[in-house]
Amino acid sequence: MDNISRRSLISAGLGAGLVAGVSAALPQTAVAVSTADDAGLRTDPFMLGIASGEPWPDGFVIWTRLALDPLAEDGLGGMPSREVAVAWEVAEDPAMRSVIARGVETARIQTAHSVHVELKGLKPGREYFYRFRSGKHFSAIGRTLTSPAPYETPAALAMAFASCSQYEHGYFTAYTRLAEDHPDLVLHLGDYLYEYKKDSYVIGGGNPRDHQGPETSTLEGYRQRHAQYKSDADLQAAHAIAPWLVVWDDHEVDNNWADDVPENRDAAQLNDTTERFRQRRAAAFQAYYENMPLRASSVPAGFDMKIYRTIQWGQLANFHMMDTRQYRDDQLAGDGWKKNIMERLAEERTITGAEQEKWLLDGFKKSTQRWDILGQQVFFAERDRDQAPEIDDVSMDGWDGYAASRRRITQGWLDAKVRNAVVLTGDVHRNWACDLKVDYKDPASPVVGSELVCTSITSNGDGTGSTTDPVMAWNPHLKFYNDNRGYVNTRITKDAMTADFRVLDYVTTPGAPVSTKKSFTINDGVPGLS
């Protein structure tokens, strides 16, 4: 609990309850587990699965949340209105015979019976296994890893990344396929869940599944929605295979929100005034923390929650996990794709906020790693839909709507002499691969980095399989496009980063096989895709 921010403890209805489920433990700590023997739960409380995340050289977070009825309308999963003891253990083998750390945590009603355990004192660069127990009930066994020691350069890292899993638009088969590929680290870049009520976001042919409950706007609603998603067996498989690094995008709160501005201000349905939206944001943030394997340093303080942070993988890579929603200026011109909005070039516009921008630029300056990888949400490269040179037709929601912010970040990694800069992106429900520049209008401007954009897990349904988008003809830095569902596998070594775009032909029925649509290599010291 040494990393808990003092500010985190001064939050309306959050502090003490959220922090209470977090602990740190050393290997061989002798903790009695008898308090978990009398939980009195008649049925399996581990219906929402398990997860791990935030790997560091001597530990990680392990997570679970108890629920007997995940779809309960009050968001509390059908659990009794009392504390429940939950035992946990970490082992060096998947059979859990060589246990090296164990303890007991209290799952409290104030935090929807969620449990976060921060492990410390483990060995760097190792594989571990973990599980939970309450009464006679055991959770599944999960696999996780510590990151390498800060001075070590591991031979390779298998990292997968994904985004945009709309439960109603299909089955999460891609998560099982990701787990079968056996990554060592998973990045989720946002839209982990969607806020809509049944029949309000419908794909052609109709949705194969439905959300339970109204559009999420209350703590009860967000908790219920997280529980519905966490009940999915495919998602549980992906969480159990490796540690995750998570960041939100918009749908974890509200479509295309920006700071304290909702999608539809004063909308009749939700009456999203600024004050009510801040209450909605606070509810969404609390439920997000309760349901994700995050450190105590991310405990929300009311409608604020810090999720930007850097996770080092030895001397191989830095993962700069970003937040492009909470601190951004409002989208211009009412949002969406707009033509010739010159205000988007204004120097004062920001998508990161000043504090996060400084954090990232300082991180570039301090970096000694081979790869600096930005895990973030929205399209980074310029993507102009109009062929005419005198017309800009770009998205106000992506970095095109905050062009000076993008230029400062790009110039920042150049000034810091970052060895290899790679931006990872979600949001757009399509696969893209892009070369990055400081000036996209100048054909002679050199390539200074790469962007890999993953498609959705399910959002927008099956997809067409197309690999052609007409905008590529006049945006030559856009190197690849594909309209399938899936995820991206990467293999990172000191010499190269390879990316395989893994796709499924359908998601509206379960069980689709996976294949690699396209592969790219980014060579050490050579910006751009090959």
Side-chain angles (χ1 to χ4, degrees), residues 259-519:
D259 193 7
D260 58 4
V261 181
E263 178 185 23
N264 299 307
R265 192 189 297 269
D266 301 324
Q269 180 185 9
L270 293 173
N271 190 26
D272 269 345
T273 62
T274 297
E275 181 54 37
R276 286 184 64 86
F277 182 68
R278 287 175 175 172
Q279 296 173 14
R280 181 181 186 181
R281 209 175 88 169
F285 287 2
Q286 179 172 354
Y288 188 82
Y289 179 82
E290 291 171 350
N291 286 278
M292 293 295 173
L294 288 164
R295 304 183 200 184
S297 55
S298 289
V299 169
F303 57 85
D304 292 326
M305 179 174 171
K306 185 178 178 182
I307 62 166
Y308 66 83
R309 71 257 189 224
T310 296
I311 292 85
Q312 295 182 4
W313 205 264
Q315 286 298 300
L316 186 63
N318 286 318
F319 293 95
H320 305 287
M321 305 302 292
M322 299 180 64
D323 180 352
T324 61
R325 287 290 165 193
Q326 190 173 182
Y327 314 105
R328 66 159 67 192
D329 293 322
D330 193 14
Q331 297 94 336
L332 290 168
D335 204 0
W337 289 79
K338 297 293 166 62
K339 294 184 178 181
N340 290 348
I341 304 298
M342 292 301 100
E343 294 91 337
R344 73 183 185 90
L345 306 177
E347 284 296 317
E348 65 274 13
R349 282 189 61 74
T350 179
I351 194 171
T352 63
E355 183 177 333
Q356 183 179 192
E357 180 179 301
K358 182 180 185 301
W359 158 82
L360 184 57
L361 296 180
D362 287 346
F364 291 154
K365 294 173 186 175
K366 296 173 184 175
S367 175
T368 59
Q369 279 68 20
R370 288 287 180 118
W371 302 87
D372 278 86
I373 298 168
L374 279 61
Q376 61 92 50
Q377 297 80 1
V378 293
F379 214 95
F380 192 84
E382 183 171 275
R383 189 167 45 133
D384 186 354
R385 296 199 307 185
D386 199 299
Q387 187 172 7
E390 67 276 11
I391 298 176
D392 284 333
D393 184 7
V394 298
S395 170
M396 296 296 103
D397 189 57
W399 288 79
D400 276 334
Y402 306 81
S405 201
R406 175 175 60 199
R407 190 199 69 248
R408 289 192 297 269
I409 298 300
T410 309
Q411 191 63 50
W413 76 58
L414 286 175
D415 292 344
K417 296 181 171 55
V418 163
R419 185 164 180 145
N420 299 289
V422 180
V423 178
L424 307 182
T425 301
D427 184 59
V428 296
H429 308 168
R430 306 291 189 277
N431 286 315
W432 292 86
C434 317
D435 287 340
L436 299 178
K437 299 184 173 189
V438 176
D439 185 358
Y440 293 94
K441 299 303 184 187
D442 179 5
S445 181
V447 174
V448 299
S450 306
E451 180 178 18
L452 303 171
V453 183
C454 66
T455 186
S456 63
I457 292 290
T458 54
S459 303
N460 281 35
D462 289 335
T464 65
S466 171
T467 56
T468 303
D469 190 296
V471 305
M472 298 170 73
W474 55 89
N475 292 270
H477 55 282
L478 305 181
K479 301 298 184 182
F480 170 66
Y481 165 86
N482 164 248
D483 181 18
N484 282 107
R485 307 287 77 82
Y487 55 96
V488 179
N489 277 345
T490 70
R491 184 175 187 272
I492 306 170
T493 70
K494 64 183 181 63
D495 297 321
M497 178 176 178
T498 59
D500 297 329
F501 287 85
R502 303 281 279 164
V503 302
L504 286 68
D505 288 336
Y506 57 89
V507 295
T508 50
T509 55
V514 69
S515 61
T516 298
K517 194 76 165 187
K518 187 79 171 178
S519 296

Side-chain angles (χ1 to χ4, degrees), residues 14-75:
L14 304 182
L18 281 173
V19 173
V22 184
S23 74
L26 295 173
Q28 305 301 339
T29 300
V31 181
V33 297
S34 60
T35 52
D37 291 337
D38 58 355
L41 302 179
R42 296 180 180 273
T43 58
D44 180 14
F46 296 108
M47 298 181 70
L48 306 186
I50 58 174
S52 70
E54 304 298 297
W56 54 90
D58 71 337
F60 37 72
V61 172
I62 58 174
W63 168 95
T64 194
R65 178 185 163 199
L66 306 183
L68 302 174
D69 177 13
L71 298 183
E73 291 183 0
D74 64 1

